[in-house]
């Protein structure tokens, strides 16, 4: 089984711990979103997994072996780290040809990934003429070159246009469906929520969460109900009578925390109040994430006094 | 993972960058052109050396050669290119060796052609003034020219792997070759003879009077190059990418 296994991984730069005793596994068949504020250690962890940086202590393996011990590693692991990695004066095709040659990957794969990433028509243009989104597509094409069972992508949606964002989402979903191990870092919450099945969250180099996406949200953000009737005052009184701490906004819309639409709907109809609007507000990944990282953000001067953290470190 | 695919990849990287191909061409053009110009100047006095006149352009061609070597390595230190390269080839020693071969072989090939062209052009321009020059000396100079240019390109390549920047490497080597060496040039003998460029250029002279001969001089340059490459290999292997 080709999983990524990180064991007690620590990396220090000077005296600063970029990655601090990190242990987690990334399993095949699902997309794992890799979240954390800037400087949380996501990119460093990816470089350590790829053997590009030397860990201060601990290990990182892919398929049970250190990355560097793989023969022709591009056939095992595909990675996108920097969109600017391809030399601007080289054509996209030549960039991929050199990579393919080093791992004895046939040239047909070069044309196949160029086609797949939508770059076939510009493949013979020099990379410096590319937009950031096109460079990002080239980086993803390079990651897919060896048809690897494990894929690591650092901020793949960076610079992509809306069409590109939909494309990368579908690529990630497909890779997971095909049973591959997919680790994707991002700072875009809505984006991550749209493709991830599982989350690994870092803060200041430490593991804050390693849970399925749904669980992560439900554990931190309580659902709310939004409701509007013809008689706002009557609704307010009714909700208060039943112990709901609801608040009304300027449009006469009431928001009821910790409630389900079933309860509020029945309550209103039982009281004979005509319902104009009734909606469940699911917690978003963004809310859950902010709740988790509020006190963990490296550059936050004062820790948030609101709620005790539910961090498991 | 064997060496050949890695070398193939590095060779593709060299030949698909126009600036590198142009750099190699510039080695040939600069050397031959400045050699021809030097030959036109017939004010040569007592210490006129016809062989060095034929290869006078090497002083300029070597700038192109070190630029080629520095740029070929520096291309890996821009925008995270090294990470892509080392992710594909995690055996760093092997990767650097392939890079060195992919730089050294074309530099040597172009250097030998440059030596031959300079010899033919230089002898033609000198005419009768090249009279004392034997073909044996001419061939020694041409082969020496090729070896010297390849060694200088690799010297710059090794230094660039340590400094991780072509600007830094050229900022050190170009002033060194153009100024320091010319300034010290007047003072023959002593430690200055063992500088990489002065030692290696003995082979381009018909006569010499220092401690080093044509081949021992090239060996001193080769030792400098080997030291620079060893430092570069150490740096590539030890440091985070």
């Amino acid at each position: 089984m080709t999983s990524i296994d990180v064991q007690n991984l620590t990396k220090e730069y000077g005296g600063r711990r970029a990655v601090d005793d990190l242990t987690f596994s990334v399993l095949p068949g699902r997309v794992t979103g890799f979240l954390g504020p800037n400087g949380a250690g996501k990119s460093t962890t990816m470089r350590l997994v790829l053997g590009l940086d030397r860990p201060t202590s601990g290990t990182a393996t892919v398929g049970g072996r250190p990355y560097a011990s793989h023969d022709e590693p591009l056939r095992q692991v595909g990675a996108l780290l920097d969109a600017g990695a391809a030399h601007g004066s080289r054509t996209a095709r030549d960039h991929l040809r050199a990579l393919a040659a080093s791992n004895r990957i046939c040239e047909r794969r070069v044309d196949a990934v160029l086609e797949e990433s939508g770059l076939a028509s510009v493949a013979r243009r020099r990379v410096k003429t590319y937009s950031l989104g096109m460079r990002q597509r080239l980086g993803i094409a390079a990651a897919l070159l060896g048809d690897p069972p494990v894929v690591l992508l650092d901020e793949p949606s960076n610079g992509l246009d809306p069409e590109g964002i939909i494309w990368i989402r579908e690529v990630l979903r497909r890779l997971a469906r095909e049973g591959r191990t997919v680790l994707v870092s991002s700072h875009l919450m809505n984006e991550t929520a749209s493709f991830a099945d599982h989350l690994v969250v870092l803060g200041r180099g430490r593991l804050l969460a390693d849970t399925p996406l749904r669980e992560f949200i439900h554990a931190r953000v309580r659902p709310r109900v939004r409701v509007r009737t013809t008689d706002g005052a009557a609704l307010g009184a009714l909700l208060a009578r039943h112990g709901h701490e609801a608040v009304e906004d300027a449009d006469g819309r009431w928001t009821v925390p910790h409630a389900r639409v079933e309860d509020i709907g029945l309550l209103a109809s039982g009281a004979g109040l005509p319902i104009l609007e009734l909606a469940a507000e699911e917690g978003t990944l963004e809310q859950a994430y902010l709740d988790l990282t509020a006190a963990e953000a490296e550059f936050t001067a004062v820790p948030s006094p609101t709620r005790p953290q539910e961090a498991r470190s | 993972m064997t060496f050949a695919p890695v070398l193939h990849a590095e060779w593709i990287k060299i030949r698909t960058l126009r600036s590198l191909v142009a750099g190699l061409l510039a080695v040939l053009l600069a050397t031959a052109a400045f050699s021809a110009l030097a030959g036109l100047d017939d004010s040569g006095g007592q210490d006129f050396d016809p062989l060095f006149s034929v290869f006078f352009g090497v002083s300029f061609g070597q700038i192109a050669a070190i630029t080629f070597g520095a740029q070929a390595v520096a291309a890996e230190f821009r925008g995270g290119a090294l990470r892509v390269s080392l992710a594909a080839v995690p055996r760093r020693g092997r990767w650097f060796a392939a890079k060195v071969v992919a730089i050294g072989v074309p530099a040597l090939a172009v250097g030998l052609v440059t030596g031959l062209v300079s010899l033919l052009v230089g002898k033609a321009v000198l005419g009768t003034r090249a009279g004392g020059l034997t073909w044996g000396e001419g061939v020694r100079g041409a082969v020496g020219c090729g070896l010297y240019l390849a060694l200088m390109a690799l010297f710059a390549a090794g230094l660039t792997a340590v400094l991780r920047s072509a600007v830094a490497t050229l900022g050190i080597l170009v002033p060194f070759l153009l100024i320091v060496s010319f300034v010290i040039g007047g003072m023959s003998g002593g430690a200055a003879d063992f500088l990489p460029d002065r030692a290696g250029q003995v082979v381009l002279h018909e006569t010499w009077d220092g401690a080093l001969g044509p081949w021992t001089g090239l060996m001193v340059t080769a030792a400098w190059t080997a030291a620079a490459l060893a430092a570069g290999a150490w740096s590539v292997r030890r440091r985070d990418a």
Side-chain angles (χ1 to χ4, degrees):
Chain A
M1 197 167 74
T2 37
S3 58
I4 302 169
D5 295 288
V6 169
Q7 271 290 329
N8 303 108
L9 196 63
T10 297
K11 175 70 179 177
E12 288 178 0
Y13 294 107
R16 194 180 152 275
R17 284 205 162 183
V19 170
D20 191 355
D21 198 28
L22 210 53
T23 300
F24 65 87
S25 292
V26 185
L27 301 179
R30 65 191 193 192
V31 179
T32 301
F34 201 22
L35 293 177
N38 288 332
K42 305 186 297 292
S43 300
T44 305
T45 304
M46 287 190 165
R47 289 201 303 275
L48 289 166
V49 168
L50 295 171
L52 296 170
D53 286 12
R54 230 168 275 270
T56 306
S57 62
T59 58
T61 58
V62 180
R65 292 160 60 189
Y67 180 86
S69 75
H70 285 278
D71 264 355
E72 298 172 355
L74 296 186
R75 296 171 184 275
Q76 289 299 318
V77 184
L80 162 73
L81 294 182
D82 315 89
H87 197 289
S89 302
R90 219 175 256 129
T91 67
R93 193 161 186 282
D94 285 338
H95 173 70
L96 293 179
R97 278 176 64 217
L99 271 181
S102 68
N103 279 239
R104 294 189 305 163
I105 295 164
C106 69
E107 288 215 6
R108 278 199 311 278
R109 273 302 291 169
V110 170
D111 294 318
V113 294
L114 283 166
E115 188 70 47
E116 192 182 340
S117 55
L119 294 174
S121 61
V122 292
R124 286 165 203 276
R125 264 168 55 184
R126 296 211 256 172
V127 173
K128 70 173 142 205
T129 66
Y130 282 21
S131 66
L132 176 57
M134 289 159 82
R135 283 169 211 229
Q136 202 70 262
R137 283 173 182 261
L138 176 58
I140 293 161
L144 301 179
L145 193 57
D147 199 15
V150 179
V151 178
L152 269 79
L153 305 175
D154 197 2
E155 302 273 0
S157 0
N158 235 355
L160 286 181
D161 52 17
E163 193 189 339
I165 287 181
I166 293 168
W167 169 72
I168 184 67
R169 184 187 305 161
E170 280 165 6
V171 167
L172 295 172
R173 301 297 323 154
R174 176 175 60 77
L175 292 172
R177 262 200 319 278
E178 291 167 353
R180 300 179 209 248
T181 305
V182 186
L183 181 65
V184 186
S185 84
S186 181
H187 64 277
L188 300 174
M189 295 302 140
N190 292 340
E191 247 324 282
T192 305
S194 73
F195 56 64
D197 307 294
H198 196 88
L199 290 180
V200 170
V201 186
L202 299 191
R204 298 196 209 189
R206 284 203 303 270
L207 188 68
L208 300 185
D210 178 1
T211 55
L213 175 74
R214 289 286 136 226
E215 257 175 52
F216 180 78
I217 295 172
H218 290 153
R220 285 179 183 75
V221 186
R222 300 284 158 75
R224 300 189 300 182
V225 171
R226 212 173 53 223
V227 58
R228 188 159 65 92
T229 72
T230 49
D231 187 348
L235 178 65
L238 176 72
L239 290 170
R241 245 191 341 270
H242 286 81
H244 290 293
E245 293 178 7
V247 286
E248 187 182 19
D249 68 11
D251 300 332
R253 195 180 281 115
W254 289 81
T255 301
V256 193
H258 313 321
R260 297 185 305 150
V261 279
E262 290 88 336
D263 304 332
I264 304 301
L266 287 175
L267 207 60
S269 68
L273 287 170
I275 294 173
L276 301 177
E277 184 182 334
L278 179 66
E281 280 191 0
E282 283 288 317
T284 63
L285 175 58
E286 189 165 58
Q287 291 170 312
Y289 172 82
L290 289 176
D291 174 76
L292 175 69
T293 57
E296 300 285 345
E298 184 141 16
F299 302 108
T300 303
V302 186
S304 159
T306 47
R307 230 177 292 186
Q309 287 299 307
E310 296 169 49
R312 316 158 200 184
S313 47
Chain B
M1 185 182 265
T2 51
F3 188 69
V6 185
L7 179 58
H8 184 202
E10 291 307 320
W11 171 234
I12 291 175
K13 287 192 208 169
I14 300 276
R15 70 179 169 77
T16 54
L17 278 187
R18 259 185 244 174
S19 59
L20 295 181
V21 176
L24 282 175
L25 204 61
V27 172
L28 173 61
L29 293 179
T31 307
F34 282 100
S35 293
L37 280 175
L40 291 173
D41 171 22
D42 59 359
S43 64
Q46 280 291 302
D47 54 355
F48 175 72
D49 184 320
L51 190 61
F52 190 60
S53 173
V54 163
F55 291 109
F56 180 78
V58 167
S59 302
F60 300 90
Q62 68 179 344
I63 303 293
I66 62 166
T67 306
F68 167 74
Q71 283 189 330
V73 172
E76 297 285 347
F77 291 101
R78 322 178 357 159
L82 184 66
R83 296 196 191 113
V84 173
S85 297
L86 293 183
V89 185
R91 311 263 161 90
R92 297 186 182 192
R94 183 171 300 174
W95 174 79
F96 190 65
K99 180 70 89 187
V100 167
V101 173
I103 293 169
V105 170
L108 179 62
V110 169
L112 289 173
V113 171
T114 299
L116 192 65
V117 170
S118 295
L119 179 63
L120 297 177
V121 171
K123 270 182 82 103
V125 172
L126 283 181
T128 54
R129 286 184 298 136
L133 208 57
T134 68
W135 277 108
E137 288 167 334
V139 170
R140 184 244 289 166
V143 171
C145 169
L147 288 169
Y148 174 74
L149 289 171
L151 287 172
M152 290 308 278
L154 290 175
F155 182 65
L159 204 56
T160 308
V162 176
L163 300 173
R164 304 192 145 202
S165 149
V167 174
T169 302
L170 296 177
I172 292 173
L173 284 186
V174 171
F176 173 78
L177 292 173
L178 290 183
I179 300 165
V180 179
S181 212
F182 272 146
V183 170
I184 305 179
M187 315 176 253
S188 196
D193 282 356
F194 289 84
L195 291 175
D197 59 327
R198 292 188 51 75
Q201 287 183 21
V202 174
V203 78
L204 307 177
H205 290 75
E206 190 176 18
T207 56
W208 60 93
D209 51 9
L212 297 170
W215 306 116
T216 47
L218 273 178
M219 280 163 68
V220 168
T221 304
W224 281 93
T225 299
L229 290 175
W234 182 86
S235 174
V236 166
R237 288 171 60 107
R238 294 300 307 169
R239 286 159 74 180
D240 288 339

